[in-house]
Structure formats: structure tokens, C-alpha cells
Amino acid sequence: MSATLEHMIKNCPVDNTFKIIGKKFTFHIVRNMAMRNQTRFNEFLGTIENINPKTLALRLKELEETGIIQRTVYDEIPIRIEYTLTKKGEDLQGIIDQMATFSMKHYPKTVFKDGKRRNYKQVFKRPVSVLH
Amino acid sequence: MSATLEHMIKNCPVDNTFKIIGKKFTFHIVRNMAMRNQTRFNEFLGTIENINPKTLALRLKELEETGIIQRTVYDEIPIRIEYTLTKKGEDLQGIIDQMATFSMKHYPKTVFKDGKRRNYKQVFKRPVSVLH
DNA sequence: ACTAGTAACTTACTTTAGGTAAGTTAGATG
DNA sequence: CATCTAACTTACCTAAAGTAAGTTACTAGT
């Protein structure tokens, strides 16, 4: 096998990562796990804008297959299933942080009731009541 | 307007950024500009896997509208048009770096002719010939 | 004068991915 | 025995993306 530009591009590390989290809604699921501690199907379904059960089920399967999340079944009544980030999934935090940093710089319009701006970590630690 | 979970989620900074670069191929275009210094329509068309001229033209328009790239027309024969990152677009570098970092940790399979592994910055500075 | 070439698209048409609403499973509760 | 719940699944429809060919405007070659 000889050195080709094509080969180089196929091995682009940015591309590898994009293949894992680049599909529609995939990153939103990860974000909701990492930043809002959501774990359940109906939580994602209720809070991720415009997602539908069909696509959500598919994305959760894909994320499990790529080792980003783990599916745990609790034999309760009614049944309870929890999705949690694996160690590998937690390593996506750096990307989440950089995405937030970009937004805070270029779209700093999220201003709160007390007139202050907060960084996203503060926002997600605080109760919803500080928001407009 | 009262404080709602919905409002909080709508103002999620991660989501803001995802709206800018989350569509299919958008991030690949930015990566090719930032990491490979590509500037022209046919360069993107030839190196981004599976992209087609219709979608490429649309994405370039979207990126211009969101202020990530700039379109410059050079009145030469044949016509030359260059797409370059704006300052805002360059601020996506942090995200690119984190995506590469994630990949290098979890998919470190890109090994080169001399048996060494390199980080993605080294890879993209070197001639293609060091690759398999 | 005619043919081919170039870069950057655009158009018409087909295929695939995603959206919508309703249904399924299995056991619990009234 | 009908209703409720969580976590899906199914059938059907619509919107986004893929394919191939065409367009524009000007140059170079025969």
C-alpha cells in the first residue's frame, strides 16, 4: 500500500471522532448525559428538541455499539433502563467544553435574571430559577 | 417570561455551536480549511468523502451566512473563488483539537512507515510519504 | 468557426434518512 | 377487565441528501 492523500484523509483523527458523534442528535444525547445527568429514554425524548422515539432508539443503539454509553436494565415494575456514559464517553467532555467556549465568545446573549452572565458550568449547576 | 427548563435548554451554549457546525459535511469543510489550508470548491469536492456539488454549495453558503467563512472572487480566467476562515471560524480550532485528542486516545491505530505514532499536528505538517 | 477545456456552480430526478402517529409488551393497579 | 407505565417498534410519509447531466463565461487549439 502506497502513501496517498486519500489514505491520509481517511485516517484523519478529527474525522474518526466525527463518525462517532456527528450524526443528527447523537451529540445532544451525550450532552444531556454529561451536563444534565439524564439517563432515561423518556428524559431524552422529552427534552431534546424535535427528536422522535424511532431516531432516539437508533442513536442509543449506535452509541452503545461505539462504546460511548452503557445500557443497564433494572428489573423493576415498570421496567427501568438507564443509559450512562462510559469512561470513553466521559472523554468527550473536552469537546463539549470547547463547544461551550466558542458559543460563550460569539453568542454571549444568555443573560440572567440578576443581570449577570455565567459560564455554562455555572448555569448547569444552578437551579433553573436564575434564568429568564 | 418565567424560568423554564425548555428555555434553559434552548440557550444551551453547546447547542448554539452545534447549530453552526453540526450539519452533515459542515465540520469537514472547516477542518479542511483549518488543517489542510484548502480554499477552493473543487478541492473540497475532491477530498471530502462522498460530498456532492449540490450539498457543498449549500454548506458553503450556510457557513458564509453564519460568519464562519468568507467568499472572495478573483476576476481571473478561468474564474477563481477562494473560501477562507474568518476570525470567528478560526475560533473553532479548539474544538478540532479536542476532537483529534479524543481520537488519538481511543483510536490510536494510525501508525506510520517508520513505526512511530504522531499527533495529528505532526501528521498534517509532514509530507504524505510518511504514511502507509 | 468549431470543439474542447476550466471553475464554480445549478437543475431535475432518485434514494435514503428522519418525522409522525399509532401500536406492542409485560406486569401492576383499581 | 380496563387502564397505566416505560421503553420501545412498526407502517407510512416527508424532507434532506445523492447522482448525473447541464450551465456560464471565457481561452486555447485545429
Side-chain angles (χ1 to χ4, degrees), chain B residues 10-21:
Chain B
K10 275 186 181 161
N11 283 290
C12 173
V14 177
D15 212 46
N16 288 339
T17 303
F18 200 82
K19 273 173 191 147
I20 305 283
I21 52 157

Side-chain angles (χ1 to χ4, degrees), chain A residues 50-113:
Chain A
N50 298 327
I51 204 168
N52 62 280
K54 181 184 160 186
T55 308
L56 177 57
L58 184 61
R59 292 289 175 273
L60 288 169
K61 257 172 218 152
E62 291 163 354
L63 281 166
E64 208 191 342
E65 276 161 21
T66 52
I68 300 296
I69 68 172
Q70 194 176 2
R71 184 181 188 270
T72 312
V73 181
Y74 294 90
D75 198 10
E76 300 174 357
I77 288 147
I79 196 169
R80 182 164 65 96
I81 290 165
E82 279 200 2
Y83 296 94
T84 50
L85 290 173
T86 59
K87 284 273 169 203
K88 183 177 169 184
E90 283 170 8
D91 283 338
L92 294 167
Q93 187 67 52
I95 299 169
I96 295 175
D97 289 350
Q98 282 301 129
M99 288 179 72
T101 301
F102 178 86
S103 176
M104 299 304 275
K105 178 167 179 184
H106 294 282
Y107 307 94
K109 58 195 164 197
T110 306
V111 178
F112 301 94
K113 276 184 166 176

